[in-house]
Amino acid sequence: MSKLAARLAWPLLILPLGPLSAQILPDQHETPPEVDTITPVPPPEIPIGATADTEATIPEEIQIDNFGGGAIEYTANTGIRFAGPGVKITANTGAEVFADRAYVDLIKETVTLEGNVAIYQGNAMQRGDKTVYHYKRGYLDSTGLRASIDPIIMESGRFTAERVGDQTVFIGRNGGITTHDAEHPDYWVRADKTRVYPGEKIVFDDLKLYLGDTPVFWLPYLSQPLNSELGYHIIPGARSNWGPYLLNTYGLMLGGDRDPVTGENRDAWLLSRWHLDIRSERGVGTGVDLVDTRIENTEEISGLSLYYTYDLDPETSRSGISRDTVDPNRYQIELKHRYQLDFPDDADWRIDSNLTYLSDQYYLEDFELQRYHTDPQPDNTIGIFRRDDNTLLSLYTRLRLNDYYRSDTRLPEITLDQARGPLFDLPILHEGTTSFSVIGEQAADATSSIVNPLVNLSASDPAAKRLLEQLSGYRRELAGALVNLPLDDPRRKELRDQILDTGYTRFRTYHELSLPITLGGFLSVAPQAGIGYTNYSSVDGPSGDFDRTHFHLGLESSVKFAKELGKYRNHDWGLDGIMHVFQPYGSWSYIATDDYELGDPAIDRLTPTTRPRLLDPLRFTAVDQMNSWNVIRFGARNRLLTKRDGQSHEWLYLDTYMDAFIRDPEGSRDFSNLYNDIRWSPVPWMTAELETQFPITPGGSGFNEVNTDLNFMPSDNFQFSIGYRWLSGHPTLLDSSSLDFETYTRINENWGIGTNHSIEFDDGTLENQQYTLHRDFGTWVAGMGISMTDNRVDREYGVVFSLTLKDFPSASLPFEIDAQ
């Protein structure tokens, strides 16, 4: 479903304008009639110099198409009249003029065109009731015409076209512009002085926005560029933790070389977005974003961002959970930048920085909610990277800038990754990785207040039990081992340090050989063998220094069968012939290593998941908790293919597989769950995905999961998406039965309604409700959204408004909001 950014956009120009001769546009008080669109039909032409039943001839400076087929009258040697309806002249300047009728005056050397006149020259257009073209002089008298440059229409009589350097600039005084192409536009943007730079920007001095004849908005100055990132953007609304608010952003380009003629910067490359946000209950915030537009992927490599607000009520919580004292000086400093290095070798060198420094642990929750949902604990890294066709060399550091959440550090980490490729031009392929790391990990400050008291408590103490309940996962395991030791055991302090502030130096290398072969012309087989070594030194914890070796054997195999199922065609279901592709496959992976023991350093460790673990040692990231395993993964892929737009289209995909454990690295399972991954894309307006897993043997994983997602547009006026997730019996993750349902309904040409709901059936909570209303006013699109979020402790409410000009770059309906 499409989304509409909630903002008030200002007029933007899109298309550049070709050079035009300077001219003064006519008086605005001569109101031209509404002009009907004329679609020319190729007519018989009267060629240059031809005779129209008399000695009067068409001047060679023009061509006339009598495409309406009307009568042609003439006066010998003085003129020719085209009665219409429907005449087009093409001037030797390239201008094309359409009108109802025309008269060629051979004495005055003019062509007078009347009735629904439309003049096109490049991207500029003028409309009105009458114009006179002086064909010898190449001059077009546009008195009474309204000028436009797609999509801008300029008010009659108020603009002049002037040459500034090599550019045509339209300058208006006490004039207006609009995009509503009607006799009486719905709105005008007027200013004491307006400068229109086609293809670049519009500059207003003393701007006023008129709806009809009523002024509704004023700015002393506005420079509105073409780029939707630039210019003035405003978002009004209200949130439970902000009160009514007004978010203001102004974007402009910096850098480049200053043009001595126009005073403008050419080749500007630095996008700057300046923020001034007013929140009635939290105060005023201000900041700036600086983005290098020469770099690709500016959404992730976003440049330098600075933001500050003096919070009038920093203890206000969105979650309803009380907070400790929070400093009212709230701020964020962020640098996400990429600098390309130019070295003489053929490799790609770059320096990447990804740094975020926050004033406190609640900043993202209060002021950057979308990021808080996806990245509540920002990473902080700086690195230099070298990439070529075969290797990736990285030298980077991970820093702990924010002390209120757990973070590991790499000071530094050097890694050389070697891509899979032929070994000494043999059919044997090699792939490997080697790294040296100085690694540390520090717990959040809040964790210290839980763990430190445990050093003096025994497992039977009720206080110890209460504190253990506040920990989870790896730390809870270590803390449980701590309280079960005698009170005078020195290992208590070592375990506490390992939980709170641990570190070690690690050298790791692993290399693997493989030999892909095809047997009998149809069976693909790839045996693998790998060996690795890991050394731990300077270990903070009870284990001391030690090393590990890893030995890996593996085998991958698959076979593919295909069969045409006929030429069956069904437009409604998107079928144009069907081919079935069946691919059974299997892989065996064996690892022999020194198993992980509680107390060993484990910063790169396992995290809870519902998906099967990777069986490839090169891509297994929890290297500190790698245990021996012996696993066979087997399954089959089924694909139904059809033809779509002259190409093969995957109509249905089904992957069914499971693991058999000869040795389980995480427990005592004999088999995993049975997994099914399904994708169905029959037609462009409907897609569905389904992921399921469930145990089929008593020794399975012991939990069930279903994930579904359906996007469907049953008619031109209605579309919806529905997603459902059910999880039951997982040993670590909470049970869940949740439904997400989103709709958009187009009531008629002018009205639309959107909804979004999230329900957790496990405890009967309607977690999220959103309702949006859209109104199309022809030139403008107005929107309003309200939302409510229930986090089980408190409820939040939000409202947002938008007013957008349709003719300028903007997102489309419906838009998305959040209760914040």
Side-chain angles (χ1 to χ4, degrees), residues 240-277:
S240 297
N241 65 326
W242 286 2
Y245 63 82
L246 190 66
L247 308 182
N248 302 274
T249 303
Y250 188 82
L252 71 156
M253 298 300 295
L254 304 175
D257 299 323
R258 188 174 182 82
D259 190 313
V261 177
T262 65
E264 301 295 327
N265 284 5
R266 297 291 184 182
D267 302 319
W269 55 270
L270 185 63
L271 168 63
S272 65
R273 292 188 293 258
W274 302 83
H275 303 280
L276 180 63
D277 301 331

Short mmCIF file of all heavy atoms in Angstrom, two decimals, residues 240-277:
data_model
loop_
_atom_site.label_atom_id
_atom_site.label_comp_id
_atom_site.label_asym_id
_atom_site.label_seq_id
_atom_site.Cartn_x
_atom_site.Cartn_y
_atom_site.Cartn_z
N SER A 240 0.19 12.40 22.56
CA SER A 240 -0.05 12.36 24.00
C SER A 240 1.12 12.93 24.78
O SER A 240 0.93 13.63 25.77
CB SER A 240 -0.32 10.91 24.45
OG SER A 240 -1.48 10.41 23.85
N ASN A 241 2.34 12.61 24.37
CA ASN A 241 3.50 13.05 25.14
C ASN A 241 4.10 14.36 24.64
O ASN A 241 5.08 14.83 25.20
CB ASN A 241 4.58 11.96 25.16
CG ASN A 241 5.16 11.70 23.78
OD1 ASN A 241 4.45 11.79 22.78
ND2 ASN A 241 6.44 11.37 23.71
N TRP A 242 3.55 14.94 23.58
CA TRP A 242 4.02 16.22 23.07
C TRP A 242 2.99 17.33 23.21
O TRP A 242 3.35 18.49 23.25
CB TRP A 242 4.38 16.14 21.58
CG TRP A 242 5.65 15.42 21.27
CD1 TRP A 242 6.50 14.80 22.14
CD2 TRP A 242 6.22 15.24 19.96
NE1 TRP A 242 7.56 14.25 21.47
CE2 TRP A 242 7.41 14.50 20.13
CE3 TRP A 242 5.85 15.63 18.69
CZ2 TRP A 242 8.23 14.14 19.06
CZ3 TRP A 242 6.64 15.27 17.62
CH2 TRP A 242 7.83 14.54 17.81
N GLY A 243 1.71 16.98 23.22
CA GLY A 243 0.67 17.97 23.04
C GLY A 243 0.61 18.39 21.58
O GLY A 243 1.22 17.78 20.71
N PRO A 244 -0.13 19.46 21.26
CA PRO A 244 -0.12 19.97 19.88
C PRO A 244 1.29 20.37 19.48
O PRO A 244 2.05 20.90 20.29
CB PRO A 244 -1.05 21.19 19.96
CG PRO A 244 -1.93 20.92 21.13
CD PRO A 244 -1.08 20.19 22.12
N TYR A 245 1.63 20.12 18.21
CA TYR A 245 2.99 20.42 17.76
C TYR A 245 2.97 20.94 16.34
O TYR A 245 2.00 20.79 15.59
CB TYR A 245 3.88 19.18 17.85
CG TYR A 245 3.46 18.04 16.95
CD1 TYR A 245 3.81 18.01 15.60
CD2 TYR A 245 2.70 16.98 17.44
CE1 TYR A 245 3.43 16.98 14.78
CE2 TYR A 245 2.32 15.93 16.61
CZ TYR A 245 2.68 15.94 15.29
OH TYR A 245 2.29 14.90 14.47
N LEU A 246 4.10 21.57 15.98
CA LEU A 246 4.30 22.07 14.63
C LEU A 246 5.77 21.82 14.29
O LEU A 246 6.66 22.44 14.87
CB LEU A 246 3.97 23.56 14.54
CG LEU A 246 3.91 24.17 13.14
CD1 LEU A 246 2.75 23.57 12.36
CD2 LEU A 246 3.76 25.68 13.22
N LEU A 247 6.02 20.88 13.37
CA LEU A 247 7.38 20.53 12.97
C LEU A 247 7.70 21.24 11.66
O LEU A 247 7.02 21.05 10.65
CB LEU A 247 7.52 19.02 12.79
CG LEU A 247 7.05 18.15 13.97
CD1 LEU A 247 7.30 16.68 13.66
CD2 LEU A 247 7.72 18.56 15.26
N ASN A 248 8.73 22.07 11.67
CA ASN A 248 9.09 22.88 10.52
C ASN A 248 10.48 22.47 10.01
O ASN A 248 11.42 22.36 10.80
CB ASN A 248 9.13 24.37 10.89
CG ASN A 248 7.81 24.86 11.45
OD1 ASN A 248 6.92 25.24 10.71
ND2 ASN A 248 7.68 24.84 12.78
N THR A 249 10.57 22.25 8.72
CA THR A 249 11.84 21.90 8.09
C THR A 249 12.04 22.74 6.84
O THR A 249 11.11 22.91 6.05
CB THR A 249 11.88 20.41 7.70
OG1 THR A 249 11.65 19.61 8.86
CG2 THR A 249 13.23 20.04 7.11
N TYR A 250 13.25 23.28 6.70
CA TYR A 250 13.58 24.03 5.49
C TYR A 250 14.85 23.43 4.89
O TYR A 250 15.88 23.34 5.57
CB TYR A 250 13.79 25.52 5.77
CG TYR A 250 13.93 26.32 4.50
CD1 TYR A 250 12.79 26.73 3.81
CD2 TYR A 250 15.17 26.65 3.98
CE1 TYR A 250 12.90 27.43 2.62
CE2 TYR A 250 15.29 27.36 2.80
CZ TYR A 250 14.15 27.75 2.12
OH TYR A 250 14.24 28.44 0.95
N GLY A 251 14.78 23.02 3.63
CA GLY A 251 15.92 22.40 2.97
C GLY A 251 16.50 23.30 1.90
O GLY A 251 15.77 23.93 1.15
N LEU A 252 17.82 23.37 1.86
CA LEU A 252 18.49 24.10 0.79
C LEU A 252 19.84 23.47 0.52
O LEU A 252 20.40 22.76 1.37
CB LEU A 252 18.65 25.58 1.14
CG LEU A 252 19.66 25.98 2.22
CD1 LEU A 252 20.10 27.42 2.00
CD2 LEU A 252 19.03 25.86 3.60
N MET A 253 20.35 23.73 -0.68
CA MET A 253 21.61 23.16 -1.11
C MET A 253 22.75 24.13 -0.81
O MET A 253 22.62 25.35 -0.98
CB MET A 253 21.59 22.85 -2.60
CG MET A 253 20.55 21.83 -3.01
SD MET A 253 20.78 20.22 -2.22
CE MET A 253 22.36 19.73 -2.93
N LEU A 254 23.87 23.57 -0.37
CA LEU A 254 25.07 24.34 -0.08
C LEU A 254 26.24 23.78 -0.89
O LEU A 254 26.15 22.71 -1.46
CB LEU A 254 25.40 24.29 1.42
CG LEU A 254 24.30 24.74 2.38
CD1 LEU A 254 24.73 24.50 3.82
CD2 LEU A 254 23.95 26.20 2.17
N GLY A 255 27.35 24.51 -0.88
CA GLY A 255 28.53 24.06 -1.61
C GLY A 255 28.47 24.47 -3.07
O GLY A 255 27.59 25.19 -3.52
N GLY A 256 29.43 24.00 -3.84
CA GLY A 256 29.49 24.35 -5.25
C GLY A 256 30.19 25.68 -5.48
O GLY A 256 30.69 26.33 -4.56
N ASP A 257 30.21 26.11 -6.72
CA ASP A 257 30.87 27.35 -7.11
C ASP A 257 29.83 28.44 -7.35
O ASP A 257 28.79 28.20 -7.97
CB ASP A 257 31.70 27.15 -8.39
CG ASP A 257 32.80 26.11 -8.20
OD1 ASP A 257 33.38 26.08 -7.10
OD2 ASP A 257 33.04 25.33 -9.15
N ARG A 258 30.13 29.62 -6.90
CA ARG A 258 29.21 30.74 -7.03
C ARG A 258 29.26 31.30 -8.45
O ARG A 258 30.33 31.60 -8.98
CB ARG A 258 29.54 31.83 -6.02
CG ARG A 258 28.52 32.96 -5.97
CD ARG A 258 28.85 33.93 -4.85
NE ARG A 258 27.88 34.99 -4.73
CZ ARG A 258 26.71 34.89 -4.10
NH1 ARG A 258 26.41 33.75 -3.51
NH2 ARG A 258 25.87 35.90 -4.03
N ASP A 259 28.07 31.45 -9.08
CA ASP A 259 27.97 32.01 -10.41
C ASP A 259 28.08 33.54 -10.31
O ASP A 259 27.25 34.17 -9.65
CB ASP A 259 26.64 31.62 -11.05
CG ASP A 259 26.56 31.96 -12.52
OD1 ASP A 259 26.92 33.10 -12.88
OD2 ASP A 259 26.14 31.09 -13.32
N PRO A 260 29.07 34.16 -10.95
CA PRO A 260 29.23 35.61 -10.81
C PRO A 260 28.10 36.41 -11.42
O PRO A 260 27.90 37.57 -11.07
CB PRO A 260 30.56 35.88 -11.54
CG PRO A 260 30.72 34.74 -12.50
CD PRO A 260 30.10 33.56 -11.81
N VAL A 261 27.33 35.82 -12.34
CA VAL A 261 26.24 36.55 -13.00
C VAL A 261 24.97 36.47 -12.17
O VAL A 261 24.34 37.48 -11.85
CB VAL A 261 26.00 36.00 -14.42
CG1 VAL A 261 24.82 36.72 -15.07
CG2 VAL A 261 27.26 36.16 -15.25
N THR A 262 24.57 35.27 -11.81
CA THR A 262 23.31 35.07 -11.08
C THR A 262 23.48 35.13 -9.57
O THR A 262 22.50 35.31 -8.85
CB THR A 262 22.69 33.72 -11.46
OG1 THR A 262 23.56 32.66 -11.00
CG2 THR A 262 22.52 33.60 -12.96
N GLY A 263 24.70 34.95 -9.07
CA GLY A 263 24.90 34.90 -7.63
C GLY A 263 24.51 33.57 -7.01
O GLY A 263 24.58 33.40 -5.80
N GLU A 264 24.06 32.62 -7.84
CA GLU A 264 23.65 31.31 -7.33
C GLU A 264 24.83 30.35 -7.35
O GLU A 264 25.76 30.50 -8.13
CB GLU A 264 22.51 30.76 -8.20
CG GLU A 264 21.28 31.64 -8.26
CD GLU A 264 20.60 31.76 -6.92
OE1 GLU A 264 20.64 30.77 -6.16
OE2 GLU A 264 20.03 32.83 -6.63
N ASN A 265 24.75 29.34 -6.46
CA ASN A 265 25.78 28.30 -6.41
C ASN A 265 25.49 27.23 -7.45
O ASN A 265 24.40 26.64 -7.47
CB ASN A 265 25.84 27.68 -5.03
CG ASN A 265 26.53 28.57 -4.02
OD1 ASN A 265 26.87 29.69 -4.34
ND2 ASN A 265 26.72 28.08 -2.82
N ARG A 266 26.46 26.97 -8.32
CA ARG A 266 26.34 25.91 -9.31
C ARG A 266 26.92 24.63 -8.74
O ARG A 266 27.88 24.64 -7.98
CB ARG A 266 27.07 26.30 -10.58
CG ARG A 266 26.50 27.54 -11.27
CD ARG A 266 25.13 27.25 -11.84
NE ARG A 266 24.61 28.40 -12.59
CZ ARG A 266 23.41 28.42 -13.16
NH1 ARG A 266 22.63 27.36 -13.05
NH2 ARG A 266 23.00 29.48 -13.81
N ASP A 267 26.35 23.50 -9.13
CA ASP A 267 26.84 22.18 -8.72
C ASP A 267 26.86 22.03 -7.20
O ASP A 267 27.76 21.43 -6.63
CB ASP A 267 28.24 21.92 -9.28
CG ASP A 267 28.28 22.00 -10.80
OD1 ASP A 267 27.33 21.50 -11.43
OD2 ASP A 267 29.25 22.56 -11.34
N ALA A 268 25.87 22.61 -6.53
CA ALA A 268 25.77 22.45 -5.08
C ALA A 268 25.58 20.97 -4.75
O ALA A 268 24.83 20.27 -5.41
CB ALA A 268 24.61 23.27 -4.54
N TRP A 269 26.26 20.49 -3.72
CA TRP A 269 26.28 19.06 -3.42
C TRP A 269 25.87 18.74 -1.99
O TRP A 269 25.61 17.58 -1.66
CB TRP A 269 27.69 18.51 -3.65
CG TRP A 269 28.75 19.26 -2.87
CD1 TRP A 269 29.45 20.35 -3.28
CD2 TRP A 269 29.20 18.97 -1.54
NE1 TRP A 269 30.32 20.77 -2.30
CE2 TRP A 269 30.19 19.93 -1.22
CE3 TRP A 269 28.89 17.99 -0.60
CZ2 TRP A 269 30.84 19.95 0.01
CZ3 TRP A 269 29.54 18.00 0.62
CH2 TRP A 269 30.51 18.98 0.92
N LEU A 270 25.79 19.74 -1.12
CA LEU A 270 25.49 19.49 0.28
C LEU A 270 24.05 19.86 0.58
O LEU A 270 23.68 21.05 0.58
CB LEU A 270 26.44 20.28 1.18
CG LEU A 270 26.32 20.02 2.69
CD1 LEU A 270 26.67 18.56 3.00
CD2 LEU A 270 27.21 20.97 3.48
N LEU A 271 23.22 18.84 0.83
CA LEU A 271 21.83 19.08 1.19
C LEU A 271 21.75 19.38 2.69
O LEU A 271 22.22 18.58 3.52
CB LEU A 271 20.99 17.84 0.87
CG LEU A 271 19.56 17.80 1.45
CD1 LEU A 271 18.72 18.94 0.89
CD2 LEU A 271 18.92 16.45 1.15
N SER A 272 21.18 20.51 3.02
CA SER A 272 20.99 20.87 4.43
C SER A 272 19.50 20.98 4.73
O SER A 272 18.76 21.61 3.98
CB SER A 272 21.71 22.19 4.76
OG SER A 272 21.13 23.27 4.05
N ARG A 273 19.11 20.35 5.83
CA ARG A 273 17.72 20.42 6.29
C ARG A 273 17.72 21.05 7.68
O ARG A 273 18.27 20.47 8.63
CB ARG A 273 17.07 19.05 6.31
CG ARG A 273 16.85 18.43 4.95
CD ARG A 273 16.01 17.16 5.05
NE ARG A 273 16.75 16.11 5.73
CZ ARG A 273 17.35 15.10 5.13
NH1 ARG A 273 17.32 15.01 3.82
NH2 ARG A 273 18.01 14.18 5.82
N TRP A 274 17.11 22.20 7.81
CA TRP A 274 17.10 22.95 9.07
C TRP A 274 15.76 22.75 9.76
O TRP A 274 14.70 22.90 9.14
CB TRP A 274 17.36 24.42 8.79
CG TRP A 274 18.66 24.66 8.08
CD1 TRP A 274 18.88 24.56 6.73
CD2 TRP A 274 19.91 24.97 8.68
NE1 TRP A 274 20.21 24.81 6.44
CE2 TRP A 274 20.87 25.07 7.62
CE3 TRP A 274 20.34 25.19 9.98
CZ2 TRP A 274 22.20 25.38 7.85
CZ3 TRP A 274 21.67 25.50 10.21
CH2 TRP A 274 22.57 25.59 9.17
N HIS A 275 15.82 22.42 11.04
CA HIS A 275 14.60 22.08 11.80
C HIS A 275 14.32 23.13 12.87
O HIS A 275 15.23 23.60 13.56
CB HIS A 275 14.77 20.72 12.48
CG HIS A 275 15.09 19.60 11.55
ND1 HIS A 275 14.13 18.96 10.80
CD2 HIS A 275 16.27 19.01 11.23
CE1 HIS A 275 14.70 18.02 10.06
NE2 HIS A 275 16.00 18.04 10.31
N LEU A 276 13.06 23.48 12.99
CA LEU A 276 12.57 24.28 14.11
C LEU A 276 11.23 23.69 14.51
O LEU A 276 10.22 23.89 13.81
CB LEU A 276 12.43 25.76 13.72
CG LEU A 276 11.91 26.67 14.84
CD1 LEU A 276 12.89 26.70 16.02
CD2 LEU A 276 11.67 28.09 14.34
N ASP A 277 11.21 22.94 15.60
CA ASP A 277 10.04 22.17 16.01
C ASP A 277 9.46 22.77 17.29
O ASP A 277 10.20 23.03 18.26
CB ASP A 277 10.41 20.71 16.24
CG ASP A 277 11.01 20.06 15.00
OD1 ASP A 277 10.65 20.50 13.89
OD2 ASP A 277 11.82 19.14 15.14
#
